[in-house]
Amino acid sequence: IGFRMVALALAATLAAAGAAATTPAPAVAADGSENEGADCQVPGLPDAGSLPTVSRLPDPFTKLNGTRVTTKSDWRCRREEIKRLAEKFVYGEKPAKPSSVTGTVSRTGITVNVSHNGRTASFSAGVDLPSGTGPFPAVVVLGGFGADTAAIKAAGAAVITYDPLAVGREGTPRNNKQGAFYTIYGANSSTGILAAWAWGVSRIIDVLEQSGGGILRSDATGVTGCSRYGKGAFVVGAFDQRIALTMPIESGSGGVAGFRAIQGESGAQPLSSAYSEQPWLGDAFGSFTGSPARLPVDTHSVVGMIAPRGLFIMDNPHIDWLAARSASVAALGGAEIYKALGAGGNITYWSAVQDGTHCASRSEWRTPLQQNIQKFLLNTGSYTGSMRIAANKSGNLAEWRDWQTPTLGDGDGGGDTTPPTAPSGLAASGT
Ligand code: MCU
């Protein structure tokens, strides 16, 4: 194809985008940042010892000062509270961008060099481009199994092959954690390896942003992975608002599954097991494995950290250990946050699948996977998310909450008559 054809195709695309006033902006942070609430004034967090027991899902809409979120724009700083609580009690702190991040992007790979406080570390990732002319959106695939990379590429997105273990190793004791993250922040950091993996993906996006975007776009990144890497994909998406599409697969205990619900789900991996099997969760989570009802945040609120961005949760209802019923509770609870933000169509939960093999490639997911990529990474199509919950692992949200979902105004705090002033992006695309 010559330049002229590309130019014509581009012009046609732009014209189509201009004509379709309903075409949503990519669902990323309004300001394009990793964490847009970093400047929020958050009251002091509670101490672990003074947390009340709350047997149902804590109300995600009640702020630390006891008042409730009333407008969509209030969610920005409520999200920041949830982020800090989730760091303090569940995952450990995910530090902000280090003082120096450099690297390269080629058609086959990405290198990342980080230095901070006199310490340096490097890691790399693979790039596998789809056919066609770039620049391409990309899906970061954690680990080497369970993700349908052929379907991702056929949908028009590149695959970034990321080995999380280079950034946060498994098989280490909690007081001697290893990998690039711990080279920078110390082997006795209390941050768990899921947050370390998330930090690594954020540094890859930093490099994409600096690369000029000739090969891979930095404003259209997705993430996926299965099992332990599904736990990782969930945390990656929750902790970086530059991720437009989060797709955890069979993430189980320590992933999407609600911590409170796991306690009563027959056969589900107990929290004590997930905490001790690997240093996935932060060290502070150790005091909650027997009493998750003391946690001020549960995973429905972590789902809410992803809202209103694209979220496609895939689960396997055939293996009890994978805690799919508890994940459905978290997805249903988190979907209430999406609805309140006017983005109910941006979340999909799908556990109604035939094949019971762990991390199998499933034909049922191929089409919705591609539709999610089209909607959130390519900005095309008219996909609307939904709940496809396997009957044998279907949680009942009504049993898990005593709060109602508020009708949030569009305003900046001055009532619901003021139109939103955010430049782009935060605009809910599910309506
Ligand atoms: C679902 O993810 C984990 C699970 O939590 C572990 O108990 C098990 O050992 O491994 C699963 C996994 O990552 O399988 C690939």
Side-chain angles (χ1 to χ4, degrees):
I1 342 180
F3 168 77
R4 228 180 98 77
M5 277 184 70
V6 175
L8 282 174
L10 182 64
T13 309
L14 290 174
T22 52
T23 302
V28 295
D31 65 357
S33 66
E34 178 177 349
N35 178 36
E36 66 184 343
D39 65 332
C40 291
Q41 300 283 328
V42 171
L45 302 185
D47 292 325
S50 67
L51 293 164
T53 296
V54 177
S55 55
R56 293 195 246 195
L57 301 179
D59 179 3
F61 300 104
T62 294
K63 297 184 271 185
L64 283 169
N65 71 7
T67 69
R68 246 178 149 226
V69 169
T70 58
T71 66
K72 287 175 188 160
S73 59
D74 279 349
W75 184 254
R76 182 178 78 90
C77 288
R78 173 55 185 156
R79 180 187 176 279
E80 179 68 16
E81 293 186 352
I82 291 168
K83 174 188 179 281
R84 295 191 197 180
L85 291 167
E87 287 184 330
K88 178 168 179 177
F89 298 116
V90 180
Y91 302 109
E93 189 193 347
K94 179 196 171 199
K97 185 177 179 179
S99 44
S100 166
V101 180
T102 62
T104 58
V105 179
S106 80
R107 301 178 72 82
T108 55
I110 297 169
T111 62
V112 181
N113 309 305
V114 174
S115 74
H116 192 75
N117 286 346
R119 297 178 180 176
T120 63
S122 300
F123 59 97
S124 60
V127 170
D128 190 3
L129 297 180
S131 60
T133 315
F136 302 102
V139 176
V140 180
V141 176
L142 275 63
F145 54 85
D148 191 345
T149 52
I152 292 169
K153 287 172 60 186
V159 170
I160 295 176
T161 309
Y162 171 59
D163 176 13
L165 302 179
V167 176
R169 263 174 51 192
E170 292 190 337
T172 66
R174 285 187 174 273
N175 63 5
N176 189 27
K177 301 187 187 84
Q178 300 295 319
F181 178 92
Y182 301 100
T183 302
I184 300 286
Y185 297 105
N188 56 7
S189 160
S190 58
T191 296
I193 63 176
L194 300 182
W197 297 350
W199 174 90
V201 174
S202 293
R203 306 299 62 94
I204 288 175
I205 299 175
D206 295 340
V207 171
L208 292 182
E209 285 180 342
Q210 294 163 23
S211 76
I215 301 170
L216 297 177
R217 290 169 53 187
S218 62
D219 62 348
T221 307
V223 64
T224 192
C226 188
S227 206
R228 62 199 60 204
Y229 300 127
K231 307 181 206 299
F234 181 55
V235 176
V236 170
F239 283 89
D240 193 327
Q241 291 178 286
R242 297 171 298 184
I243 297 279
L245 176 58
T246 303
M247 302 184 286
I249 307 168
E250 301 182 41
S251 62
S253 186
V256 177
F259 299 129
R260 286 167 171 76
I262 283 172
Q263 265 205 323
E265 182 174 351
S266 171
Q269 181 174 21
L271 296 176
S272 55
S273 165
Y275 179 73
S276 59
E277 185 178 333
Q278 296 293 343
W280 289 318
L281 299 167
D283 295 359
F285 193 79
S287 20
F288 296 95
T289 58
S291 54
R294 288 172 43 240
L295 287 166
V297 286
D298 208 312
T299 55
H300 66 303
S301 294
V302 182
V303 168
M305 288 174 65
I306 301 175
R309 296 172 289 133
L311 176 57
F312 177 25
I313 300 165
M314 290 159 268
D315 264 323
N316 178 348
H318 302 284
I319 301 173
D320 292 344
W321 187 253
L322 297 173
R325 177 176 292 122
S326 298
S328 78
V329 170
L332 290 165
E336 295 303 308
I337 300 162
Y338 274 82
K339 285 182 206 166
L341 296 175
N346 287 4
I347 177 171
T348 296
Y349 180 83
W350 198 309
S351 62
V353 292
Q354 295 288 324
D355 189 339
T357 311
H358 185 40
C359 298
S361 168
R362 291 194 173 75
S363 54
E364 295 101 325
W365 291 338
R366 185 178 168 94
T367 298
L369 168 68
Q370 296 190 323
Q371 289 171 318
N372 272 281
I373 288 171
Q374 280 152 8
K375 176 170 178 174
F376 296 106
L377 302 186
L378 292 156
N379 221 0
T380 60
S382 55
Y383 175 76
T384 300
S386 62
M387 298 284 160
R388 306 275 206 116
I389 304 175
N392 69 318
K393 297 288 181 189
S394 175
N396 179 358
L397 180 60
E399 291 171 5
W400 282 105
R401 66 163 171 172
D402 48 19
W403 42 268
Q404 291 307 311
T405 305
T407 301
L408 299 181
D410 280 329
D412 49 12
D416 61 5
T417 50
T418 315
T421 50
S424 70
L426 193 64
S429 49
T431 47

